[in-house]
Every structure is written in C-alpha cells, then in structure tokens.
Amino acid sequence: MGREIRVRGSSTEIEGYAVAIEEGRRLGMTSEDVADHLATPWMTAADTVRLLAHVDGFLATGVLPNLAAAKIPAPRRSRRPW
C-alpha cells in the first residue's frame, strides 16, 4: 500500500493497449473516450498521455518506441545464496 505504479511503456503493454484502443476506435470511440477509458487511479494524466502517444506511434508505424531497450536482457543473478 502506498506504492506508486508507473506505466513504463513496455512492449507487451503497448501492444496490449493498442489492440484495445484500436478496437474501441473501430467501435466509434472518440480520442477523448479512449483517454477517459484508460485513466485509472494509479496513473497520472501525464502517464495516460504518454501511454496514448506510445500506442498511437505503434499503430501508425508498427514499430515499438522502446524496442531496442526491450531486447537488452536482464542482468543474470545467481540462484545460490552463498
């Protein structure tokens, strides 16, 4: 409780939201309707705008904005505590 959850714009997150937003627009939702639908208590208005910008860029170009960063593997950690 009290933790702040940030929208990082991961590639899977952008792709997932893109599917939902594209379907909403196909069904006749306006840009304002989409933004209202995406707004959540744990996202700031800036987070929502950033997410929409990433998704719109992905839908327009088919390229994820952070694809290079997504290909960098996580650091390897030893499973042994000793």
Side-chain angles (χ1 to χ4, degrees), residues 3-5 7 36-45 47-48:
R3 279 188 351 190
E4 186 174 321
I5 299 172
V7 175
D36 288 343
H37 183 69
L38 289 179
T40 62
W42 57 85
M43 285 174 56
T44 66
D47 289 337
T48 304

Side-chain angles (χ1 to χ4, degrees), residues 4-68:
E4 186 174 321
I5 299 172
R6 284 281 185 189
V7 175
R8 288 182 231 136
S10 69
S11 57
T12 55
E13 184 176 51
I14 291 171
E15 288 176 314
Y17 277 110
V19 170
I21 290 171
E22 194 171 42
E23 182 65 10
R25 289 178 177 159
R26 188 187 71 78
L27 294 172
M29 290 177 77
T30 65
S31 293
E32 186 177 310
D33 292 337
V34 169
D36 288 343
H37 183 69
L38 289 179
T40 62
W42 57 85
M43 285 174 56
T44 66
D47 289 337
T48 304
V49 169
R50 187 178 322 112
L51 177 61
L52 281 170
H54 285 312
V55 170
D56 285 340
F58 172 67
L59 289 173
T61 64
V63 177
L64 293 165
N66 59 351
L67 190 57

